[in-house]
Amino acid sequence: MTPNKDQLTLVVEFYRKCNPLGPPSDGEIVLELCQVGGEALAQTLIGMDLLQPLPDDASKFVLRKIPNFFWDVDDFLLKPERRFKPPRKFYVASQDWLSDESPSHELQLKYKRAIRLLELLREVSAHEDTAGNDLKLVILHKEKLVVGSEYNLLEMQELDGLEEFDKEYVNSDTHQEKKRDILKTVLVEMYSGKKSIQVGRLIDDFNEILSRLSHGYDLFVHDFSFSKIKSEVERDKLEFTTRLNKVFSDIQNQLLAVPAALLLVGSQMEKPELAELQLGNLAIWLGAVIFFVLMELLIRNQRNTLQAVKGEVDLQRTIFKEDHVAVYGKFKNIYRELDDRFNHQCKLLWFLRGLVGAVLGFTTGMLVWYSSGTAGYAFIAAIILTIFPILLALLINDFFQKTKSDD
């Protein structure tokens, strides 16, 4: 009928005009012709001894078992060598998949990519075992990992990154051996503790493998190992933490003046018999004001030092993130801890400012009490002068922050 067509093509054409009446039995399938125009094709196949009509129904035929005609994907991949070595031409009936048909069936691309992935893994494997017409690849890199050839063709992903995997890593024009070592490291680390896996598992994890390859190569390009980066970041963390802590420790001696000032006020201020302003009490109060001004300047200076250190931390964080974006996420906590230390030191300075304000408030309260003889006025004055330095500092900080933002 059509001498230029091979047996498989003729069988597929006839099969597509029929309905199968159940799964195959001993490799043979019972078909019912359901489309017009299939009779002549049936006679051709009967003449080739590929088709046998049923005696009780002229529309039903038994399709004999022929090479490379498979009922389903499981039947097709049952023979191990077909997982990595495709037949020249084949047909999978349940999926209506003819291998050389154009346009290609969606499974054809998946099948080719699965085979290509196995070919690429063969190139980086240390040894391959083809016993029993199967394929097992041995990956050696500190540990041994055996990769088998089984995969689920129907459920596997498209492997869209396979071309990148091939050209950028396995057969790269630059650093090819190093990239292959990185690939073996990634595989051994990802499946650590497993002696063997199937290539289907690699297909499921393919995007993660590509991501780890990219990260590993990024470290190599920057001539850094993870441990080296970690040691440098830890060293910088220690240095910055020390500098942040030093901001407060540098003024510890001056802090002793706070209780001394309270002791001075409590012991030296005198309450006159008649409520009046005494020169001695006023001198002590002026001393407290000068003490407050000096301490405020000292606190403000230490605050600026803290801000300078924080600026260096932020700058280093930005540079590190740009240079080592692949591993930055693993070091976020270190920079977060430095931020927490900065905030803690800032709170200590605000607490110190509150203590100094309390000394000024206490001194003012005693002066007003001794001068007016009214405890209520003294209490109000003490509250105002205690809160005043804190409010003043907040207003000044807000003013300078707005000025910087305007610039």
Side-chain angles (χ1 to χ4, degrees):
M1 174 180 169
T2 314
N4 293 330
K5 293 184 179 180
D6 57 66
Q7 290 184 357
L8 183 60
T9 301
L10 292 174
V11 169
V12 171
E13 286 183 6
F14 181 74
Y15 180 85
R16 287 172 171 172
K17 296 178 181 296
C18 301
N19 285 329
L21 300 179
S25 176
D26 295 328
E28 297 181 338
I29 307 174
V30 179
L31 302 175
E32 181 179 15
L33 186 62
C34 60
Q35 293 184 19
V36 178
E39 294 81 1
L41 187 54
Q43 292 303 317
T44 300
L45 294 176
I46 291 172
M48 299 172 67
D49 199 26
L50 298 176
L51 200 65
Q52 178 183 347
L54 291 181
D56 55 343
D57 192 336
S59 66
K60 295 180 180 179
F61 304 86
V62 175
L63 178 63
R64 299 187 186 280
K65 184 176 182 180
I66 67 170
N68 296 332
F69 185 101
F70 306 98
W71 174 248
D72 56 22
V73 172
D74 290 338
D75 182 28
F76 172 56
L77 295 179
L78 185 61
K79 194 173 182 180
E81 67 178 337
R82 294 196 194 103
R83 301 170 193 151
F84 57 92
K85 186 178 181 181
R88 186 183 64 84
K89 184 175 181 177
F90 60 88
Y91 179 71
V92 179
S94 65
Q95 302 296 322
D96 193 24
W97 170 21
L98 183 60
S99 61
D100 65 348
E101 196 168 38
S102 181
S104 298
H105 193 280
E106 61 179 350
L107 289 179
Q108 185 68 19
L109 178 60
K110 288 186 176 183
Y111 183 49
K112 286 184 176 180
R113 287 182 173 178
I115 292 174
R116 181 56 182 158
L117 178 59
L118 281 167
E119 291 173 348
L120 294 173
L121 292 174
R122 291 177 88 163
E123 294 185 37
V124 300
S125 65
H127 174 71
E128 60 182 65
D129 180 6
T130 56
N133 291 324
D134 198 354
L135 178 65
K136 293 182 179 179
L137 304 174
V138 179
I139 308 294
L140 288 178
H141 193 76
K142 297 181 182 179
E143 296 181 24
K144 175 182 175 181
L145 179 67
V146 178
V147 181
S149 64
E150 294 181 14
Y151 52 90
N152 188 326
L153 191 58
L154 292 176
E155 297 182 5
M156 67 174 277
Q157 60 171 307
E158 296 289 345
L159 290 178
D160 292 328
L162 188 63
E163 185 176 354
E164 176 190 357
F165 181 75
D166 178 3
K167 295 182 179 180
E168 295 297 326
Y169 297 101
V170 179
N171 293 304
S172 173
D173 294 332
T174 57
H175 304 137
Q176 184 183 100
E177 289 304 316
K178 183 61 182 178
K179 288 180 177 179
R180 290 188 175 191
D181 286 341
I182 293 172
L183 171 59
K184 288 183 278 189
T185 300
V186 167
L187 293 178
V188 170
E189 288 182 352
M190 280 187 66
Y191 306 106
S192 178
K194 298 181 182 295
K195 294 183 179 180
S196 65
I197 59 170
Q198 298 298 329
V199 72
R201 176 70 182 276
L202 269 65
I203 292 173
D204 292 340
D205 299 337
F206 191 70
N207 291 334
E208 175 66 17
I209 292 173
L210 275 183
S211 177
R212 294 196 183 197
L213 277 173
S214 177
H215 292 174
Y217 184 63
D218 183 68
L219 290 177
F220 167 72
V221 168
H222 291 88
D223 195 26
F224 279 115
S225 66
F226 183 82
S227 58
K228 184 176 181 181
I229 293 177
K230 184 177 181 181
S231 64
E232 289 183 356
V233 174
E234 291 286 356
R235 185 184 65 243
D236 291 338
K237 174 192 173 184
L238 178 62
E239 177 186 347
F240 282 126
T241 302
T242 302
R243 291 173 62 186
L244 289 171
N245 290 337
K246 195 171 183 292
V247 169
F248 195 78
S249 63
D250 282 348
I251 61 173
Q252 284 182 346
N253 290 336
Q254 288 85 339
L255 297 183
L256 296 176
V258 176
L262 287 173
L263 181 62
L264 175 66
V265 172
S267 62
Q268 297 300 319
M269 269 198 176
E270 298 179 354
K271 184 176 182 181
E273 293 182 2
L274 296 175
E276 60 180 359
L277 180 63
Q278 287 192 343
L279 185 60
N281 291 344
L282 181 60
I284 295 174
W285 180 79
L286 289 175
V289 172
I290 294 173
F291 168 75
F292 161 73
V293 172
L294 294 177
M295 288 299 296
E296 177 61 27
L297 292 175
L298 180 62
I299 292 171
R300 188 169 298 279
N301 179 69
Q302 297 305 98
R303 170 74 179 185
N304 292 337
T305 303
L306 269 180
Q307 291 285 6
V309 177
K310 181 65 164 58
E312 292 183 34
V313 172
D314 291 341
L315 177 61
Q316 178 167 313
R317 178 185 0 225
T318 301
I319 294 174
F320 182 85
K321 187 175 182 179
E322 292 175 353
D323 291 345
H324 307 292
V325 62
V327 295
Y328 172 73
K330 298 181 182 295
F331 297 96
K332 278 184 177 179
N333 288 337
I334 289 179
Y335 289 103
R336 190 174 294 118
E337 289 173 8
L338 288 173
D339 289 340
D340 292 342
R341 173 54 54 179
F342 167 78
N343 293 330
H344 175 73
Q345 295 299 92
C346 288
K347 290 175 183 178
L348 286 179
L349 290 181
W350 278 109
F351 176 71
L352 178 58
R353 181 176 274 124
L355 288 180
V356 174
V359 171
L360 180 61
F362 177 74
T363 307
T364 304
M366 290 192 66
L367 179 66
V368 172
W369 185 19
Y370 288 175
S371 301
S372 66
T374 305
Y377 291 156
F379 179 76
I380 293 173
I383 294 297
I384 293 175
L385 268 294
T386 299
I387 297 176
F388 170 75
I390 298 176
L391 293 177
L392 179 62
L394 287 172
L395 290 173
I396 293 175
N397 283 341
D398 289 342
F399 172 76
F400 280 113
Q401 287 178 1
K402 290 179 180 178
T403 303
K404 289 180 181 179
S405 62
D406 292 340
D407 293 341

